Amino acid sequence: MNVRQSVDRPVGVTVMGSHVMQVNPDIAVTVLGINRTEHGPASALAQARDATGRVRHTLRALGVNPADIRASRIELRTKYHTSSQGPREFAGHCATTEISGTLSALDKLDGVLVGAVEAGADEVRSVTFQTTKLREHRIKARIEALRAARSKAEHYAEEAGVRLGKVLHIEDVDPEAAGRRGYHVRGHDIAGADETGAYDPGSIIVAGAVLVSYAIDHESARGRRGNRA
């Protein structure tokens, strides 16, 4: 078995601590596509702009804050019909744009999507659930990961008959890259998961991981050995 040593000069007790938590989303970000194909480019652009205006109005009417509605610039391209039977044929000019909206009232999401499509959006390109408190949740996950590292190191020290000394090294670890370093952040470590490691698929997973090195308190170690003698 190949084990990669993460600390170049190992000293004391080195452990990795991790914490994974479930967070309920409080916003949904929808990305919609609008495509209009007409024979003339001016007509295609006009149709796309008109549909964008209707979708914007519908999103506002259904509870999306106007400040949270964004539209991309309209792109124009020529479309052709292709066939294996002969040369490609001109199909028209296609004007394409993308409009996104951030919704905080998640219970209105279905109605927003239906209304946007009925207003003129012909693609629902993505719907992602996010949290506006991601920074706070990440801080909590990192704190809990540090506590987990301390607990793990104390278990090792207790079994080895020594005590932990001061912290020598703290290294932030990307939880998603932990596997490449020989560590694993497993599903049953998720805060709020049941004993099988299952978790709510509608939740957002926030993780923290840290590599910590502790010195060994050699004075306490010598004292223990003396008492045993």
Side-chain angles (χ1 to χ4, degrees), residues 24-228:
N24 291 326
D26 58 10
I27 58 173
V29 180
T30 63
V31 179
L32 308 164
I34 296 173
N35 306 277
R36 293 294 184 271
T37 301
E38 299 290 335
H39 186 272
S43 178
L45 290 169
Q47 291 288 335
R49 291 193 185 99
D50 181 63
T52 300
R54 294 198 308 271
V55 172
R56 277 183 176 274
H57 175 77
T58 299
L59 292 178
R60 292 195 297 267
L62 292 174
V64 180
N65 189 327
D68 294 327
I69 301 173
R70 298 285 188 273
S72 68
R73 292 185 178 276
I74 298 178
E75 297 181 0
L76 184 67
R77 67 180 186 274
T78 305
K79 292 187 67 175
Y80 293 91
H81 291 305
T82 58
S83 172
S84 59
Q85 305 299 322
R88 64 179 185 171
E89 297 179 357
F90 175 73
H93 296 280
C94 181
T96 300
T97 187
E98 196 171 73
I99 185 166
S100 66
T102 301
L103 181 69
S104 57
L106 298 183
D107 58 324
K108 295 183 179 180
L109 178 59
D110 290 353
V112 167
L113 293 175
V114 171
V117 171
E118 291 178 346
D122 48 358
E123 285 185 86
V124 178
R125 294 185 176 174
S126 67
V127 178
T128 58
F129 295 96
Q130 302 175 17
T131 172
T132 58
K133 299 179 180 179
L134 183 59
R135 183 175 182 274
E136 293 91 331
H137 293 312
R138 282 177 172 166
I139 290 173
K140 181 179 179 180
R142 290 171 186 142
I143 291 172
E144 294 298 330
L146 190 59
R147 290 174 177 170
R150 177 77 189 191
S151 176
K152 186 187 293 186
E154 287 175 345
H155 290 157
Y156 282 127
E158 181 178 356
E159 290 302 316
V162 298
R163 289 183 180 176
L164 295 181
K166 64 180 181 179
V167 175
L168 300 175
H169 176 80
I170 299 177
E171 179 180 345
D172 183 56
V173 176
D174 180 359
E176 295 183 0
R180 295 195 294 271
R181 302 186 61 170
Y183 301 104
H184 298 282
V185 179
R186 296 177 295 275
H188 63 259
D189 293 327
I190 297 176
D194 63 24
E195 61 274 10
T196 67
Y199 60 93
D200 181 0
S203 65
I204 299 169
I205 302 302
V206 180
V210 64
L211 190 69
V212 188
S213 294
Y214 298 89
I216 292 176
D217 186 343
H218 294 287
E219 291 298 325
S220 65
R222 282 198 292 270
R224 287 190 175 189
R225 287 195 294 270
N227 292 334
R228 291 174 181 175

